[in-house]
Amino acid sequence: MPNGTAAAAHAAAMTPEEIIALDQAHVWHPYAAFPNPSPVYPVSHAEGVYLHLSDGHTLIDGTSSWWSVLHGYNHPELNRAIEEQLHKVSHVMLGGITHEPVVKLAKLLADITPEGLNKVFFSDSGSVAVEVAMKMALQYWFSSGQHQKTRFLALRAGYHGDTFAAMSVCDPFTGMHHLFTQTLQHQIFCEPPACGFDEEWDEIHIASFSQLIQRHRQKIAAVILEPIAQNAGGMRFYSPHYLRRVRELCDAHDILLIADEIATGFGRTGKLFACEHAGISPDIMCVGKALTGGYMGMAATLCNDKVSDEISRGDAGAFMHGPTFMGNPLACSVALASTRLLIEGDWQKRVLHIEAFLKAELEPCRELPAVADVRVLGAIGVVELHNAIDIASIQAAFIKQGIWVRPIGKLIYLMPPFIISDAELHQLTRGIYTVVSELDS
């Protein structure tokens, strides 16, 4: 085919059927199979909270594209940030080179995250940010001469990503990675927090964690957890007092604390970062997902001077990690614009309004036979069912309601963009109620 003809063929718009046929032949989707992949729905464009499908359907996105699209799709300020940077430099290695967007973003993150987190290591995904955090903890202890500290204490029902070190600190039995248990480093796991977010505190809730950290303190490099909200592992919300006690016990036993705020950061739980509910600062913190407002893959691992200084004094004389696309100027520019848009607006009032709305409108689901629990924290709403559901069939039912909701196991959840209106929220909650009411208990 002549070059011009080939270019014209590629430029021609494809029908939804053509997109789906090529997708099913070649695209391996997350947590999906061949040769019988789950149904997919081609998106032609997106605007605000709406996904416009190639077949003409319009859906309200209730998941913010896996919790990342804070300000909605096709936002003019975020578009402008990328467009302006694109004409300067789209990518440059960070090894031996720096640029304005990366230093501005690093300074902003150091300013808004919990006190003391002033060193920022950029990467290109949340899982890698967790790998970097774990590697920081290990190199910290290697540099200090305590080579026996190589294990991590994690919470059951936790989720930290799909790469190998990250998989090792996810729940080894009920999580998504149990198939790999025999190939992963065996970590130390504590029962998940049993105290709800608003529940009265009792020291019995920290007893299991306290016993484990005392018993294994000589070999634990760090505790790693999702602060306040365990997300993909169960959408569980726990007491801020639990997190405060974890910080105290880490300090008492000279163990680092890693906070995985990839899902909880940037206002999702009602605080800018979930650690603020407990008034604590971790030694290392991971952020991602909403960092760029859902525009580009990017993550960051922050640490305090204690960690960076000790690593730098070690035999290696440097932190031994360096992704090719770390600190990408396009990603930094849109992350800077997204974060400024968030903190300069009345984001907290908006999130608390979403929280109140979700509490009121999801509560009727509690009376449905298929429902085990309903819970809400910040801009996170969860309807937990008694039994796991067929994702493909229930997703088709949600689409008939004009909403995009993607359950996990037996959890139907909402994490909408912060710009969503009450009418759009109502369509989401009413759609969930309608679909769940038709399920068998």
Side-chain angles (χ1 to χ4, degrees), residues 5-18:
T5 307
H10 283 300
M14 297 174 67
T15 66
E17 293 75 18
E18 289 172 333

Side-chain angles (χ1 to χ4, degrees), residues 356-377:
F357 196 101
L358 291 178
K359 283 181 177 178
E361 296 230 339
L362 289 178
E363 186 59 26
C365 292
R366 195 182 297 276
E367 304 303 318
L368 298 175
V371 174
D373 189 31
V374 174
R375 49 190 180 269
V376 175
L377 179 66

